[in-house]
């Protein structure tokens, strides 16, 4: 016998399937006996393991599953049979961690399986009888040339069409609510839920859960995103899901995004680092360009934030992080083009441009990647990367255009000013931000990205146009983008002398701030108090600064 716990065991374990069910002549709980027979069947048919999903609907539902498993293992002990759990079927059950037992999957060691005899009225049960007892549909021999059970079927086309509709809606900004003039198309969230009703395989159902988590993360609802990630983890643990390594890798990346959104940088980097070191997920990272893009882009953003935070107190460490950030952005851009995704490329191009400008702002302009002719050239390179992002948006039918390019350029334009804190209105209006024409000139050969339709001649109008689209429902900008547009509009409206419009935007910003994480609220409150004229600050009555630690970089 392979496993020997030191307890003498009878040669055979006789299981009677007819009611009342029994083990070695003694009445047995149906659920426990069913699970034992199911494991024996899995062993005999080569399936190997029984997963939690196999119990649901047959002997339990989700609310009682843990109790059923706990009762079954008490019965197994009374019947003197060793049962294993977990993915490694080569382990001895007595060495396994009992705290993880309820997660499954469950299996019989080969030596134990030899002891089990399944009977019907005292005789050996046939395969059909065992299948009938377990509620399994009998499988007919597969005809030559017939498709395997997991083959793609024609009805799957409806699912994939709905999945594409959801992803397209997300690119167009229709995350939770449809946009005006959307030809009756629903939101991304509605579409992915409809896809869920059409999902026919474990992989399709898991893919729906992953996409829901990604949508909630983009909407800024980390709590909902994490709930869907927990559901995805359960789906992956309960089934042999096709594409499990990809799903696991993306689950880790979205979890890291949630941490980054909450500005928990150590957790975000820990999750990404653990993924790279994991054998299965690391393999996906190396060979799947979409996963590699997501990983490199987020790692670069985390490094960017850490570099900016350290720039004042530890310049060498900040420089190393900044250099790594730019290198990872470059790898993300390469991965985006490797997967032919212009949408991904435009995101990372904008991030790279803003990173270069922010690093220069905190004295990290002497990096090898930024070693050129000084501040003007740093701004030029930053603008050109963002212009490249905008050019890419125009080559993806313009539907993927976010507000970030406009926000970044408006920040760069007013970054040309070096005002005193809380300037008077006269001092504030005397500042000279770069106007759109100057930014367009810095873009050089990429200036054609700034068409007159999307880029009016004044920054206040650039911001107003995007806010009008959001208000009218033509676009739906997530919370952080919306707040950023409101602040930029307030700044440029005040600079143009329209204090009433500025006050209106600040009032809307004040109402929207509670939806942001504390560090992002702190950024806007700090900018509000320090950068705007004192008259406007007093009139608008900004919210009190949150207790969270003030950040040195924009969100």
């Amino acid at each position: 016998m392979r496993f020997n716990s030191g307890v003498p065991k009878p040669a055979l374990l006789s299981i009677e399937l007819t009611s009342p069910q029994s083990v070695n002549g003694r009445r047995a709980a149906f659920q426990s006996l069913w699970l034992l027979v199911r494991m024996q069947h899995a062993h005999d048919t080569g399936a190997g393991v029984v997963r939690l999903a196999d119990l649901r609907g047959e002997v339990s539902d989700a609310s009682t599953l843990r109790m059923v498993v706990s009762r079954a293992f008490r019965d197994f002990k009374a019947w003197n049979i060793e049962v294993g759990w977990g993915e490694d079927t080569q382990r001895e059950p007595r060495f396994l961690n009992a705290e993880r037992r309820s997660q499954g999957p469950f299996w019989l060691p080969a030596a134990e399986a030899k002891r089990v005899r399944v009977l019907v009225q005292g005789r050996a049960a046939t395969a059909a009888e065992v299948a009938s007892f377990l509620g399994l549909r009998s499988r007919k021999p597969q005809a030559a040339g017939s498709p395997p059970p997991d083959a793609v079927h024609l009805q799957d086309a409806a699912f994939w069409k709905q999945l594409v509709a959801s992803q397209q809606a997300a690119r167009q900004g229709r995350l939770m609510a449809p946009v005006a003039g959307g030809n009756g198309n629903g939101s991304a969230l509605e579409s992915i839920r409809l896809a869920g009703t059409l999902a026919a395989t474990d992989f399709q159902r898991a893919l729906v859960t992953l996409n829901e988590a990604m949508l909630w993360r983009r909407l800024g609802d980390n709590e909902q995103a994490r709930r869907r990630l927990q559901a995805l983890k359960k789906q992956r643990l309960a089934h042999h899901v096709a594409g499990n390594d990809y799903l696991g890798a993306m689950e880790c990346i979205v979890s890291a995004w949630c941490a980054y959104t909450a500005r928990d940088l150590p957790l975000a980097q820990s999750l990404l680092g653990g993924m790279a070191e994991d054998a299965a997920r690391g393999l996906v990272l190396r060979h799947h360009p979409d996963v590699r893009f997501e990983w490199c882009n987020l790692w670069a953003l985390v490094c960017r934030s850490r570099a900016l935070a350290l720039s004042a107190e530890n310049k060498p460490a900040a420089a190393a992080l900044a250099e790594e950030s730019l290198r990872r952005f470059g790898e993300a851009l390469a991965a985006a083009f490797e997967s032919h995704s212009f949408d991904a490329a435009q995101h990372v191009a904008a991030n790279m441009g803003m990173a270069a400008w922010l690093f220069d702002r905190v004295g990290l302009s002497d990096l090898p990647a930024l070693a050129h002719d000084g501040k003007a050239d740093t701004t030029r390179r930053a603008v050109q990367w963002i212009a490249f992002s905008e050019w890419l948006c125009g080559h993806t039918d313009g539907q993927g255009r976010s507000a970030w390019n406009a926000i970044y350029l408006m920040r760069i334009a007013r970054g040309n000013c070096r005002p005193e804190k809380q300037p008077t209105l006269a001092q504030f209006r005397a500042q000279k931000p770069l106007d759109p024409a100057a930014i367009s000139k810095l873009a050089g050969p990429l200036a054609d990205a700034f068409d007159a339709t999307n880029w009016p001649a004044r920054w206040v109008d650039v911001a107003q146009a995007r806010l009008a689209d959001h208000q009218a429902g033509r676009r739906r900008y997530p919370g952080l983008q919306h707040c950023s547009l409101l602040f930029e509009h307030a700044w440029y409206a005040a600079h143009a002398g329209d204090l009433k419009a500025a006050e209106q935007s600040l009032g809307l910003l004040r109402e929207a701030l509670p939806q942001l994480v504390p560090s992002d609220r702190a950024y806007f409150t700090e900018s509000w108090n320090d950068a705007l004229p004192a008259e406007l600050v007093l009139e608008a009555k900004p919210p009190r600064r949150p207790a969270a630690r003030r950040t040195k970089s924009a969100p």
Side-chain angles (χ1 to χ4, degrees):
M1 188 174 293
R2 180 182 173 189
F3 300 132
N4 181 11
S5 63
V7 179
K9 296 182 179 181
L12 298 176
L13 197 71
S14 299
I15 300 175
E16 175 59 55
L17 298 185
T18 53
S19 183
Q21 287 79 23
S22 63
V23 174
N24 286 343
R26 301 184 64 178
R27 288 283 298 272
F30 177 84
Q31 291 96 332
S32 304
L33 183 141
W34 187 96
L35 178 54
L36 182 57
V37 175
R38 187 71 173 81
M39 287 187 289
Q40 177 71 15
H41 178 268
H43 178 273
D44 292 344
T45 59
V49 299
V50 177
R51 299 190 174 272
L52 290 176
D54 298 321
L55 280 69
R56 294 190 183 109
E58 293 293 340
V59 297
S60 178
D61 58 30
S63 63
T64 61
L65 200 55
R66 184 182 292 270
M67 181 178 66
V68 167
V69 171
S70 179
R71 167 67 186 273
F73 274 84
R74 287 199 301 270
D75 289 336
F76 297 155
K77 184 177 181 180
W79 300 338
N80 203 15
I81 186 166
E82 288 187 324
V83 172
W85 60 90
E87 298 290 349
D88 187 356
T89 59
Q90 301 303 308
R91 298 277 298 279
E92 288 195 33
R94 57 186 171 147
F95 297 143
L96 296 172
N97 182 0
E99 291 182 359
R100 306 182 70 173
R101 187 173 63 195
S102 62
Q103 299 177 10
F106 311 106
W107 42 270
L108 278 179
E112 298 293 84
K114 291 178 181 178
R115 300 176 49 222
V116 176
R117 294 291 182 269
V118 182
L119 309 173
V120 170
Q121 296 180 335
R123 62 169 174 80
T126 66
E129 287 171 331
V130 172
S132 178
F133 171 77
L134 294 172
L136 302 174
R137 289 175 293 180
S138 58
R139 293 186 178 180
K140 297 179 180 180
Q142 187 173 316
S146 63
D150 58 351
V152 173
H153 300 285
L154 286 177
Q155 60 264 34
D156 290 345
F159 166 80
W160 295 113
K161 178 177 180 292
Q162 199 60 45
L163 182 70
V164 170
S166 173
Q167 294 174 342
Q168 183 71 359
R171 286 186 58 248
Q172 294 173 355
R174 295 184 279 117
L175 299 178
M176 183 180 282
V179 299
N183 299 321
N185 295 325
S187 69
L189 204 55
E190 292 170 340
S191 295
I192 198 62
R193 286 173 174 168
L194 180 55
T197 67
L198 299 171
T201 68
D202 293 335
F203 175 67
Q204 289 175 353
R205 284 184 282 271
L207 203 56
V208 166
T209 307
L210 171 62
N211 277 269
E212 282 184 305
M214 294 168 72
L215 282 172
W216 284 116
R217 198 281 304 172
R218 283 189 60 185
L219 285 162
D221 193 331
N222 274 5
E223 183 177 352
Q224 283 281 14
R226 286 174 172 140
R227 285 176 184 168
R228 302 315 297 150
L229 290 173
Q230 283 297 317
L232 177 60
K233 186 184 293 292
K234 290 178 180 178
Q235 287 173 314
R236 293 195 307 104
L237 289 173
H239 300 269
H240 278 303
V241 181
N244 187 59
D245 290 340
Y246 164 78
L247 291 167
M250 288 304 298
E251 176 192 313
C252 185
I253 286 173
V254 179
S255 295
W257 265 114
C258 288
Y260 176 78
T261 301
R263 301 301 180 248
D264 189 343
L265 302 182
L267 177 58
Q269 203 152 32
S270 174
L271 289 167
L272 294 175
M275 174 183 162
E277 294 169 2
D278 180 83
R281 294 175 182 178
L283 194 64
V284 176
L285 177 59
R286 287 193 297 275
H287 298 290
H288 197 304
D290 291 338
V291 174
R292 192 162 66 255
F293 160 78
E294 293 286 354
W295 191 97
C296 290
N297 183 50
L298 182 52
W299 184 274
L301 286 170
V302 173
C303 288
R304 186 184 79 176
S305 295
R306 291 184 59 204
L308 295 172
L310 282 173
S311 60
E313 58 192 56
N314 190 338
K315 191 61 68 70
L321 285 165
E323 192 66 37
E324 182 171 5
S325 175
L326 294 173
R327 179 170 63 85
R328 293 297 189 182
F329 277 136
E331 292 174 4
L333 188 66
F337 283 115
E338 185 180 335
S339 61
H340 305 284
S341 175
F342 286 178
D343 188 51
Q346 67 95 358
H347 284 296
V348 72
N351 288 339
M352 189 181 297
M354 195 60 180
W357 184 76
L358 288 170
F359 292 153
D360 179 73
R361 295 273 291 178
V362 296
L364 296 174
S365 56
D366 56 348
L367 301 173
L370 299 177
H372 34 70
D373 300 331
K375 172 174 287 297
D377 202 30
T378 299
T379 303
R380 181 179 297 107
R381 290 200 179 195
V383 168
Q384 287 181 355
W385 274 116
I386 298 170
F388 178 51
S389 171
E390 190 67 14
W391 181 85
L392 286 169
C393 288
H395 285 72
T396 54
D397 70 19
Q399 295 299 318
R401 183 176 279 113
S402 74
W404 282 125
N405 288 342
I407 293 165
Y408 289 163
L409 291 176
M410 285 187 279
R411 287 178 180 172
I412 289 172
R414 61 184 175 84
N416 195 56
C417 311
R418 294 287 184 177
E420 296 293 328
K421 285 189 177 183
Q422 295 186 347
T424 64
L425 182 59
Q427 290 172 328
F428 177 78
R429 296 197 63 195
Q431 296 177 85
K432 297 187 180 300
L434 297 173
D435 60 25
I439 290 289
S440 182
K441 185 176 180 181
L442 287 173
L446 291 161
D448 59 348
F450 303 127
D451 60 279
T453 301
N454 291 294
W455 296 91
R458 300 191 311 157
W459 289 122
V460 67
D461 296 326
V462 170
Q464 179 57 45
R466 284 153 179 78
L467 287 170
D469 283 345
H470 179 86
Q471 176 119 17
R474 291 185 293 271
R475 298 283 302 176
R476 299 286 184 183
Y477 294 118
L480 186 55
Q481 289 187 42
H482 185 219
C483 288
S484 297
L485 284 172
L486 287 170
F487 182 81
E488 297 303 329
H489 180 263
W491 196 97
Y492 283 102
H495 189 265
D498 191 348
L499 297 189
K500 183 177 180 180
E503 289 166 5
Q504 289 176 342
S505 287
L506 288 177
L508 292 171
L509 176 59
R510 182 174 61 249
E511 294 174 3
L513 280 181
Q515 68 184 294
L516 303 183
V517 297
S519 59
D520 289 348
R521 292 201 302 268
Y523 165 77
F524 286 109
T525 306
E526 180 176 305
S527 300
W528 188 328
N529 287 329
D530 294 344
L532 292 174
E535 296 92 332
L536 189 60
V537 170
L538 290 172
E539 180 67 25
K541 296 180 182 178
R544 295 171 59 189
R545 292 186 181 181
R549 182 177 61 87
R550 291 168 60 181
T551 57
K552 296 182 180 179
S553 61

